[in-house]
Amino acid sequence: MDMRLVGGIPLVSVELGRGCTGDFLVDVGSSFGLTLHGSLVRSCRLFDNILGHKQVEVNGGGVGASYVSWLSRLDRVRIGPYEWEQPIAGLSLRTSGMVGSKDYGGNIGNVVLERFKVTFDYERRKLYLEPGRRFADPERFSRIGAVFVRCPGASSPRTS
């Protein structure tokens, strides 16, 4: 599939169903799956589309800021020719910072990428996806309820 580069980061088109599409950053540094930015969530009225699905409020963080998002299942997602149902996505309503971006619809992280064998061809601006052994697996999400944060000026444990 075609990809653009934004500051060296791949950007690809993703379809979330019901005519909702956006350009998503391929974020190999993210341990999550799909993060949907506030502008896309609002323009596609995604909270209207997930009524009836369980939603869990979570705190997250990324480049430049922490944020609140709501985890829920979408009906489906399509990346290139590949589609699967019931993906878990983090929906943000931020209007600032990266997840408030009006330039990008969201981020694709490693939980999505691990469904595939992924090849980045930067020279030809292509992203090759080949279904891997986890492609058809249903998504699961578990949280232990802990977040580790480094606070400037806070004391740290010392070892002897």
Side-chain angles (χ1 to χ4, degrees):
M1 70 187 305
D2 291 334
M3 71 178 186
R4 293 185 333 203
L5 293 177
V6 177
I9 300 172
L11 187 70
V12 297
S13 180
V14 173
E15 181 183 331
L16 301 173
R18 294 189 172 105
C20 180
T21 60
D23 291 330
F24 279 60
L25 296 161
V26 181
D27 187 355
V28 297
S30 171
S31 62
F32 192 61
L34 287 173
T35 302
L36 308 181
H37 295 184
S39 59
L40 183 73
V41 171
R42 284 188 297 282
S43 68
C44 291
R45 302 178 55 108
L46 289 174
F47 275 105
D48 295 348
N49 295 336
I50 62 170
L51 292 176
H53 293 283
K54 183 177 181 177
Q55 300 169 29
V56 177
E57 183 177 332
V58 296
N59 293 305
V63 176
S66 60
Y67 57 91
V68 173
S69 63
W70 289 265
L71 297 182
S72 187
R73 291 194 182 272
L74 303 177
D75 291 332
R76 67 178 183 87
V77 65
R78 175 186 293 271
I79 302 173
Y82 303 106
E83 178 178 307
W84 62 99
E85 295 183 356
Q86 299 293 303
I88 297 172
L91 285 72
S92 169
L93 289 173
R94 291 281 305 230
T95 56
S96 62
M98 180 53 97
V99 295
S101 170
K102 293 178 183 173
D103 298 325
Y104 315 114
N107 292 30
I108 300 169
N110 288 319
V111 169
V112 170
L113 296 175
E114 70 185 8
R115 291 177 172 276
F116 301 97
K117 295 177 186 174
V118 181
T119 304
F120 295 93
D121 185 342
Y122 286 91
E123 184 177 335
R124 292 178 184 84
R125 304 285 200 269
K126 297 284 185 185
L127 176 66
Y128 297 100
L129 300 175
E130 179 183 339
R133 62 184 168 91
R134 294 185 181 159
F135 178 76
D137 290 352
E139 282 189 42
R140 291 181 171 75
F141 187 79
S142 69
R143 292 184 56 91
I144 62 169
V147 176
F148 296 96
V149 178
R150 175 179 272 178
C151 298
S155 61
S156 61
R158 302 195 195 288
T159 59
S160 36

